[in-house]
Amino acid sequence: MSKPKVLITRMIQQENIDRLREHFEVEINPDDRAYSKAELMAKVKGRDGVLSMLTDTIDGEVLDAAGSQCKIVANFAVGYNNFDVAAATSRKVILTNTPGVLDDATATHTITLMLSVARRIVEADKFVRAGKWGSWAPLFFMGLDVDGQTLGLAGAGRIGKNVARKAAAFGMKIIYSDVKPDPDFEKALGARFVDKATLLRESDFVTLHVPLIPETRHYIGEKELAAMKPTAVLINASRGPVVDEKALARALKDKVIWGAGLDVFENEPAVEPELLGLDNVIVVPHIASATPETRMNMGRIAVRNIVKVLTGEAPETCVNPDVLKK
């Protein structure tokens, strides 16, 4: 009897590929690029499962191309805005993600961006490499203090709380906005629950940890940027479209805010061109979870979910649980 067929849309760690091959016939995208929509539709045909990336749009067309034998699409990501959840649920396809295992890496990356923007690390590095450094001077590359400043968390889920714990080492004052207060979080770190307007007005550093849903698209736009301190820094390692990049570029150019650090973008891999010419923003290519241990663990969850579903068990991390109902 032939084995179930699984597609991996991008190369992942070999250990996780080998684990899938113990059970299934596996095909892997050999190229270091995302499939086009047409390529993806061709490759998913006849697959029992797909291990997808956040760069793969899994909509009704793709699922129909896969056919009725497709039981699961396992995202190699905690986010799943690339999924058409309703389309998958109506076709009884299980969708999964990889929450939890990338919290530390993403929080550390957020702090890294915050410190790098505040102390102008990338700008200073470029300056030295360009041979422009003549001598030390008292007012040379003045940055921002971080110790004792106010950190505003837009969203206080697992990653936001992790950022707060790390920021506490710098003696930062923590304020946060979310759908509701979290008394345990407040007690543990002295955090203060505020509304969005207060968060923007009082924070020296604003870090974004909201999911991408219709209500959070352009969560930060022209109005929000204008409400921030002129010495404030914005950090986004959540989802690109929660920030209006054109508005951010204008705000940075006009010194409405002091700086920004971006790991994610509205139309990845494209970046708003106006941002690329500015020294007061750091742009990096969606690498918040890019540590060996984190990526290995993401793969392990995705693989376990595929193995479980294709051997008749429930997955660990289903994002459309209605499809599991009998």
Side-chain angles (χ1 to χ4, degrees):
M1 190 170 75
S2 63
K3 293 182 177 181
K5 296 178 174 61
V6 173
L7 173 70
I8 304 176
T9 66
R10 202 76 180 262
M11 183 60 69
I12 60 174
Q13 291 91 336
Q14 191 63 45
E15 176 188 306
N16 289 316
I17 296 170
D18 293 343
R19 173 67 172 144
L20 277 178
R21 281 182 169 153
E22 292 175 10
H23 302 271
F24 314 120
E25 180 181 318
V26 177
E27 181 179 347
I28 308 161
N29 179 0
D31 301 319
D32 190 22
R33 64 174 180 83
Y35 283 134
S36 68
K37 179 70 173 287
E39 289 172 323
L40 183 61
M41 290 177 67
K43 289 293 184 180
V44 298
K45 185 177 181 180
R47 306 290 174 180
D48 298 274
V50 177
L51 197 159
S52 62
M53 307 293 140
L54 199 59
T55 50
D56 302 314
T57 298
I58 306 298
D59 56 16
E61 284 186 306
V62 170
L63 295 170
D64 287 342
S68 59
Q69 75 186 67
C70 185
K71 299 295 186 291
I72 177 172
V73 180
N75 232 21
F76 188 87
V78 64
Y80 52 90
N81 49 286
N82 59 313
F83 285 163
D84 184 332
V85 176
T89 303
S90 68
R91 291 163 175 78
K92 302 189 184 305
V93 177
I94 294 169
L95 303 175
T96 66
N97 65 340
T98 63
V101 295
L102 44 65
D103 296 352
D104 260 329
T106 302
T108 297
H109 186 66
T110 298
I111 294 290
T112 300
L113 284 173
M114 183 178 76
L115 296 174
S116 298
V117 174
R119 298 305 302 268
R120 302 172 66 181
I121 297 300
V122 173
E123 187 183 356
D125 176 87
K126 290 178 180 178
F127 186 85
V128 173
R129 291 175 189 275
K132 297 179 179 179
W133 187 22
S135 64
W136 181 88
L139 302 181
F140 199 42
F141 276 101
M142 298 284 279
L144 296 175
D145 285 316
V146 172
D147 296 78
Q149 301 302 297
T150 298
L151 171 64
L153 307 170
R158 292 188 309 271
I159 295 172
K161 289 185 176 71
N162 198 313
V163 169
R165 287 193 293 272
K166 290 172 166 59
F170 296 98
M172 299 188 82
K173 305 176 187 72
I174 310 298
I175 60 176
Y176 73 103
S177 61
D178 210 321
V179 292
K180 61 180 180 180
D182 185 332
D184 291 337
F185 174 50
E186 294 174 13
K187 182 177 180 181
L189 288 175
R192 178 165 57 94
F193 179 77
V194 297
D195 59 22
K196 181 180 177 181
T198 302
L199 184 95
L200 295 172
R201 184 177 65 251
E202 294 188 4
S203 297
D204 298 298
F205 299 87
V206 174
T207 61
L208 303 178
H209 312 284
V210 295
L212 179 58
I213 56 177
E215 293 77 12
T216 60
R217 186 171 291 274
H218 286 188
Y219 179 88
I220 299 293
E222 184 174 5
K223 180 181 73 172
E224 289 78 15
L225 292 161
M228 294 170 65
K229 296 179 180 181
T231 53
V233 169
L234 176 72
I235 304 295
N236 186 19
S238 59
R239 290 289 173 262
V242 304
V243 174
D244 180 341
E245 282 181 26
K246 290 184 181 298
L248 177 60
R250 289 192 299 270
L252 291 168
K253 184 178 180 180
D254 296 341
K255 310 298 184 185
V256 174
I257 65 171
W258 196 84
L262 305 176
D263 180 69
V264 289
F265 305 90
E266 283 195 77
N267 300 294
E268 294 180 15
V271 179
E272 169 57 41
E274 291 293 323
L275 289 172
L276 299 178
L278 299 173
D279 287 328
N280 57 341
V281 59
I282 293 176
V283 292
V284 295
H286 202 149
I287 56 172
S289 66
T291 71
E293 182 177 358
T294 300
R295 292 283 169 85
M296 183 67 77
N297 287 333
M298 291 167 67
R300 286 171 178 156
I301 292 176
V303 165
R304 287 200 302 268
N305 281 330
I306 291 173
V307 171
K308 283 177 178 289
V309 169
L310 296 186
T311 55
E313 299 181 47
E316 297 175 10
T317 60
C318 185
V319 302
N320 59 337
D322 286 347
V323 82
L324 301 176
K325 295 176 182 177
K326 301 294 184 183

